[in-house]
Amino acid sequence: MSSLTVLFGVAGLLALAAAIVPKLVADRPFSVPLVMLIAGIVLGLLPLPAPYGNGWSDPAAHLHGVESFTQLGILVALAGAGLSVDRPFGLKRWGSTWRLLALTMPLSILAIAALGYWWLALAPGVALLLAAALAPTDPVLAGDIGVPHPDVEPELARDNEIRFTLTTEAGFNDGLAMPFVLLGLAMAGSRPNLAVSWVLVDLLLPVVTGVVVGLVAGRGLGWAIFHTSSDRLRLAEYGDGLVLLALAFLPYALSELAHGNGFVAVFTAAVVVRKQEREHDYHGVLHAFGHQLERLFVPLALLGLGLAIGDGLLRGLRPLEVVIAVVAVLVVRPVVGWLSLLGSSAGRPATLAIAFFGVRGIGTLFYLAYALDRLPLAEQGVLWRVGALAVAVSVLVHGILAEPAIQRIERMGGHLPAH
């Protein structure tokens, strides 16, 4: 039996699982990602034929494939997340998000890099790469605790501080992790002298370019969707969800061509499109299509991670690697997030929930594959083990606790921003 035949069979089972599993785990302390991760681990323990004969547990043999697949999932999730944001943009209204991006993210990277340097004896550049890969929260796996689409529950989408903050943080920080990854690559590679001009042009300017391209692309796509004069060209008249893919891919491509940050551009463009014709039914069409893609992508991604773990990805795992993965997810993020949100308008229950539920996932796998595809490192086994274990811990803990905890806070009214 060929590996391609097995893959087709798994793909068919995944399509069924994408439709059935969400209904089976509804109102239970289990998430779809957790169920699929466990299923993947079980499959990985079986003697299934692996592609190219390298085994499922060797990421070095599939770096380009892992990078491309996770990148695709992130782009779709970013577009869907941006279209769900219904709160007007502003420094004060988005205050909790800005605190997480400006304080929690860089301080968490610094803390995890220090732990990697001291505990795992990693070189400074390699430790920074690990920390940067573990830093971004995930718009794919955070979908279950993110804001619902405004057309479905408008008040929840606009006023829920927990869901809004987790969604907008995940929307932006997948892109904002890139400068730290590039800095780690430079430190670990052949660029020991980091000139100020290089930092400004190669690390910071792409973020600004991504925002600008996202604003322009969002306005252009919004016009094509809602305002062009011809009924035949006005995309909203067709009710076709495939336009979501244009929103996911075009801003990314335009930004990358302009040497900008493509992830930031996609989320920005989606937020801009959402601001136009807020009451139009077509927003619901785009959201439904994006949600279907995510329902197929999430099982596939987590099944793949589970396959790798079951097939031996964690072979050689050391106790300190376990400690740093657990501490990064369950200590560093909650503590730094809570400190960053002190004095904010979120309120105490919301602050605790936002700080704790920083879901790690597909972004971590993307950045590990991205970095190691460009600079093979002797420590890549350590990076993959810690990264994969951190994602698994996040899927397990957050998958069981997130939805029940947030629903309880919502029933108590603790999800509303304090005034």
Side-chain angles (χ1 to χ4, degrees):
M1 183 187 300
S2 70
S3 59
L4 184 61
T5 302
V6 173
L7 288 174
F8 279 136
V10 171
L13 291 174
L14 276 171
L16 290 175
I20 297 172
V21 173
K23 298 177 176 62
L24 294 178
V25 301
D27 301 321
R28 290 178 173 85
F30 297 100
S31 65
V32 174
L34 176 57
V35 171
M36 300 311 299
L37 178 66
I38 294 172
I41 293 174
V42 172
L43 286 175
L45 295 172
L46 300 177
L48 298 176
Y52 314 116
N54 292 306
W56 297 96
S57 64
D58 183 12
H62 318 293
L63 284 177
H64 189 68
V66 172
E67 179 186 343
S68 299
F69 181 74
T70 52
Q71 182 181 38
L72 173 63
I74 291 172
L75 291 176
V76 172
L78 288 174
L83 289 173
S84 297
V85 175
D86 205 39
R87 184 180 299 184
F89 184 83
L91 292 177
K92 186 175 181 180
R93 295 187 184 100
W94 290 45
S96 297
T97 302
W98 303 139
R99 285 171 178 251
L100 292 177
L101 296 176
L103 297 175
T104 303
M105 185 177 180
L107 291 176
S108 296
I109 290 175
L110 179 62
I112 297 170
L115 294 177
Y117 176 75
W118 288 327
W119 290 359
L120 301 181
L122 298 175
V126 179
L128 180 57
L129 276 177
L130 175 62
L134 291 176
T137 55
D138 201 273
V140 182
L141 300 185
D144 290 338
I145 56 175
V147 291
H149 191 265
D151 291 348
V152 179
E153 298 182 69
E155 293 184 3
L156 193 60
R158 182 178 60 254
D159 300 328
N160 190 303
E161 188 72 8
I162 301 172
R163 295 179 184 270
F164 170 82
T165 302
L166 291 174
T167 297
T168 50
E169 178 201 14
F172 274 125
N173 69 10
D174 261 342
L176 294 180
M178 182 62 80
F180 296 97
V181 171
L182 294 177
L183 181 59
L185 284 172
M187 292 173 61
S190 57
R191 195 186 188 106
N193 298 319
L194 305 176
V196 174
S197 60
W198 178 81
V199 173
L200 293 175
V201 174
D202 287 18
L203 298 189
L204 302 182
L205 183 59
V207 175
V208 178
T209 303
V211 172
V212 173
V213 171
L215 292 172
V216 174
R219 292 289 296 179
L221 286 168
W223 175 83
I225 292 171
F226 298 111
H227 301 301
T228 183
S229 57
S230 172
D231 291 345
R232 292 189 176 185
L233 297 178
R234 195 179 310 123
L235 298 174
E237 300 298 325
Y238 291 90
D240 194 337
L242 285 171
V243 174
L244 178 85
L245 297 180
L247 182 57
F249 299 155
L250 284 177
Y252 178 85
L254 292 172
S255 181
E256 291 294 319
L257 288 173
H259 303 288
N261 190 308
F263 288 162
V264 171
V266 172
F267 183 71
T268 303
V271 172
V272 171
V273 169
R274 173 60 201 167
K275 290 176 60 179
Q276 303 185 45
E277 299 293 337
R278 289 180 181 273
E279 305 302 322
H280 201 289
D281 293 341
Y282 189 58
H283 286 294
V285 174
L286 293 175
H287 179 265
F289 183 73
H291 184 60
Q292 286 183 323
L293 290 180
E294 288 184 34
R295 284 176 60 191
L296 184 60
F297 175 82
V298 169
L300 187 57
L302 269 297
L303 189 79
L305 177 61
L307 273 170
I309 292 175
D311 194 45
L313 178 61
L314 301 184
R315 190 179 296 116
L317 187 68
R318 295 176 292 166
L320 278 178
E321 294 172 4
V322 177
V323 172
I324 198 170
V326 173
V327 167
V329 175
L330 302 182
V331 178
V332 173
R333 158 65 189 220
V335 172
V336 178
W338 177 72
L339 292 173
S340 301
L341 292 171
L342 284 177
S344 72
S345 63
R348 189 168 182 271
T351 293
L352 293 173
I354 293 168
F356 184 76
F357 292 115
V359 182
R360 265 55 181 179
I362 310 305
T364 294
L365 303 180
F366 167 77
Y367 278 117
L368 285 176
Y370 176 92
L372 295 173
D373 195 28
R374 287 155 179 78
L375 182 65
L377 296 169
E379 303 90 343
Q380 70 171 294
V382 176
L383 299 184
W384 277 115
R385 288 195 297 270
V386 174
L389 184 59
V391 173
V393 169
S394 180
V395 170
L396 173 63
V397 176
H398 296 144
I400 291 175
L401 297 179
E403 190 63 26
I406 292 178
Q407 286 183 0
R408 182 174 181 180
I409 294 173
E410 288 170 350
R411 287 194 297 268
M412 297 168 56
H415 63 289
L416 299 175
H419 297 287

